[in-house]
Amino acid sequence: LAYIYAKDDALKELALITRADIYMKSGLVYEARADYIILLRDFPSSIHTNKVHLGLAESLFDIGLFQDALEHYEQTDAQPEALFGIANAYQKLELLEEAKKAYDRAVLADRTYLSRSPETCYLMVENMRMSGDLENAKSQLTLLDFGPFQDKANISLGLIAMEESDNQEAVIK
């Protein structure tokens, strides 16, 4: 309600950014997206525009609107979250070459990001597999033996085994 009743524009903007960020952290991505859109509409020359574009991109990505997310990631500064977000969006859109180039740029910017984002780590390894770099993909997928992407990693290992005509290993995975 602070956004609605605040008389000062700076306070309205701060209240709306805070609300959008809380919605994102709470998993309410549709509500966060709506607030980020309002922020861009009502405060187009804000000093927080970079943060708003990043938040909007992340909410769009979580919703599955990867092309829209990509457009907003590209409007942010070259921070690791945006660089890896661009790569992940390309990967989800199955634009493998663009994703590979984007992952290479992102890793150069911040090598530690992958340890903080299991989804990004998995998507980057999936890019290797889908691009035909099976040996590197296999070695990286075996490292994903825990966490939220363990099952997906095992499926990918099974797909690699099928591609290598190792049907028994494919069935096991």
Side-chain angles (χ1 to χ4, degrees):
L1 292 176
Y3 165 71
I4 295 169
Y5 292 113
K7 303 252 187 260
D8 179 46
D9 280 347
L11 185 58
K12 277 187 173 191
E13 181 183 8
L14 181 61
L16 198 53
I17 287 172
T18 303
R19 186 170 77 179
D21 290 344
I22 290 170
Y23 281 152
M24 276 301 289
K25 288 176 184 166
S26 301
L28 301 169
V29 292
Y30 289 95
E31 290 82 353
R33 179 187 69 162
D35 283 351
Y36 289 126
I37 289 170
I38 291 169
L39 278 159
L40 288 175
R41 183 195 67 203
D42 293 353
F43 305 99
S45 57
S46 168
I47 61 169
H48 303 288
T49 301
N50 186 61
K51 180 180 179 178
V52 173
H53 277 291
L54 182 61
L56 180 55
E58 289 174 348
S59 67
L60 292 165
F61 185 90
D62 289 350
I63 292 168
L65 300 172
F66 306 118
Q67 187 64 48
D68 294 335
L70 187 58
E71 292 171 19
H72 287 281
Y73 278 128
E74 290 174 343
Q75 293 183 47
T76 65
D77 293 340
Q79 55 193 341
E81 293 82 4
L83 294 173
F84 280 103
I86 289 168
N88 289 344
Y90 277 135
Q91 178 63 25
K92 288 287 195 170
L93 291 167
E94 296 185 7
L95 299 171
L96 302 181
E97 274 302 308
E98 290 87 346
K100 167 86 171 94
K101 290 175 189 172
Y103 282 124
D104 290 344
R105 279 192 308 273
V107 168
L108 285 175
D110 185 358
R111 291 191 161 283
T112 64
Y113 185 83
L114 293 172
S115 64
R116 298 189 309 266
S117 176
E119 179 180 23
T120 298
C121 186
Y122 169 74
L123 288 173
M124 189 168 120
V125 175
E126 264 302 279
N127 180 265
M128 291 176 196
R129 182 189 67 79
M130 293 172 76
S131 299
D133 187 3
L134 300 182
E135 285 306 311
N136 282 333
K138 189 190 296 188
S139 68
Q140 294 297 315
L141 285 165
T142 57
L143 298 175
L144 294 174
D145 59 354
F146 63 92
F149 293 92
Q150 176 183 5
D151 292 337
K152 288 183 177 189
N154 284 333
I155 291 170
S156 293
L157 285 168
L159 292 170
I160 291 171
M162 283 177 54
E163 205 157 313
E164 294 175 338
S165 298
D166 187 354
N167 293 334
Q168 186 158 357
E169 182 66 21
V171 171
I172 291 171
K173 294 294 179 189

